[in-house]
Amino acid sequence: MNTYYLVRHGQTEWNTQGRTQGHGNSPLTDLGVKQAENLANAIKKYPIDLIYCSDLGRAIQTAEIVGQNLGIEVKPTSKLREMGFGIWEGMKLTDIEAEYADMFAIWRNQPDKLIVPGGEMLKDIKKRQDELLEELNTKYQNKHILLVSHSVTVRVMLLSMLDSDISNIYRIKQDNTAINIVEYKDYGPVIKKINDTSHLVTGDDVNQVKSALE
């Protein structure tokens, strides 16, 4: 059975501005690069065999820093993308609250019911990440696989592994470059570590900026 290391990308410019990213793109900040470098050093103690990442720039940038450090080629896939937020992408959280108050209230209180024009629903994220894990578990056996993704996507993955409803997304916290470890057993996935940021230990490196929609 495979073991998965789920990781959120490093801090981005839009993270610091409180902007919604979704399928939009924003490069890592200097701090985000440092976080990814610290992640690369921390992940060395695990026997990583493969690295898959979201095909969005911030995840690729994070994964490549790790991949170069480990000497492993990165495999991008759209199935690890962040939730698409449609017309909200690029907007600041305060502006979304002001301009789309009713929709924002749904996101805060019934996140699984949110429908943003041009965007995705949480169930769409669950469907594509469930498909990816099924593919990987069929293709590989007894591998240690790093998956570099995004805040919402990682939380949905963890909820799915726990067989918990995706409406519980706010009950899981995911900081930039946090490490989550899930080991698949004959009886199902076992979460061994969650939101571990112990590799972020110096100065501003521990100053996390929340994703706009956390």
Side-chain angles (χ1 to χ4, degrees):
M1 293 294 183
N2 297 316
T3 299
Y4 293 94
Y5 303 77
L6 316 179
V7 173
R8 181 186 175 194
H9 60 78
Q11 183 196 75
T12 69
E13 296 289 348
W14 279 11
N15 283 155
T16 65
Q17 297 168 15
R19 295 185 185 275
T20 303
Q21 295 183 108
H23 290 178
N25 220 352
S26 175
L28 299 186
T29 61
D30 289 343
L31 174 57
V33 171
K34 183 181 178 185
Q35 290 170 341
E37 291 170 346
N38 284 356
L39 167 66
N41 290 328
I43 211 79
K44 276 184 176 180
K45 66 183 177 182
Y46 301 108
I48 304 299
D49 297 301
L50 300 151
I51 300 176
Y52 282 80
C53 71
S54 158
D55 63 351
L56 298 174
R58 57 196 184 274
I60 292 175
Q61 190 178 358
T62 302
E64 286 185 341
I65 290 171
V66 177
Q68 289 167 7
N69 194 285
L70 299 182
I72 299 175
E73 182 182 357
V74 172
K75 303 175 184 296
T77 171
S78 61
K79 290 185 177 178
L80 285 173
R81 278 190 174 197
E82 180 61 295
M83 178 175 171
F85 283 101
I87 60 173
W88 284 5
E89 292 186 3
M91 292 185 65
K92 291 186 176 181
L93 183 63
T94 51
D95 293 335
I96 292 173
E97 286 186 272
E99 295 180 35
Y100 301 97
D102 291 343
M103 287 169 54
F104 186 78
I106 293 172
W107 176 241
R108 283 298 189 224
N109 298 296
Q110 296 178 295
D112 56 315
K113 303 290 195 301
L114 177 70
I115 302 176
V116 178
E120 295 179 294
M121 295 184 70
L122 285 179
K123 66 179 182 180
D124 300 320
I125 312 310
K126 183 179 187 306
K127 181 176 183 294
R128 56 178 160 85
Q129 63 86 24
D130 281 349
E131 289 174 351
L132 175 63
L133 288 172
E134 184 176 355
E135 289 173 11
L136 294 177
N137 284 333
T138 299
K139 186 174 182 179
Y140 303 112
Q141 286 295 316
N142 301 315
K143 296 295 186 182
H144 290 255
I145 305 173
L146 174 63
L147 304 178
V148 181
S149 188
H150 307 267
S151 176
V152 172
T153 306
V154 170
R155 286 183 283 163
V156 169
M157 292 175 76
L158 291 169
L159 288 169
S160 182
M161 290 167 169
L162 286 168
D163 200 23
S164 178
D165 196 277
I166 53 177
S167 62
N168 293 321
I169 192 169
Y170 292 118
R171 299 188 182 186
I172 296 178
K173 189 174 188 291
Q174 284 298 296
D175 290 313
N176 291 112
T177 70
I179 299 172
N180 308 271
I181 302 178
V182 183
E183 183 177 353
Y184 272 71
K185 304 281 192 179
D186 291 338
Y187 47 84
V190 176
I191 295 178
K192 301 177 67 175
K193 189 185 292 287
I194 191 166
N195 200 45
D196 179 9
T197 57
S198 59
H199 53 287
L200 306 181
V201 294
T202 58
D204 289 340
D205 199 19
V206 298
N207 294 332
Q208 297 284 344
V209 177
K210 284 190 173 183
S211 169
L213 291 175
E214 280 186 5

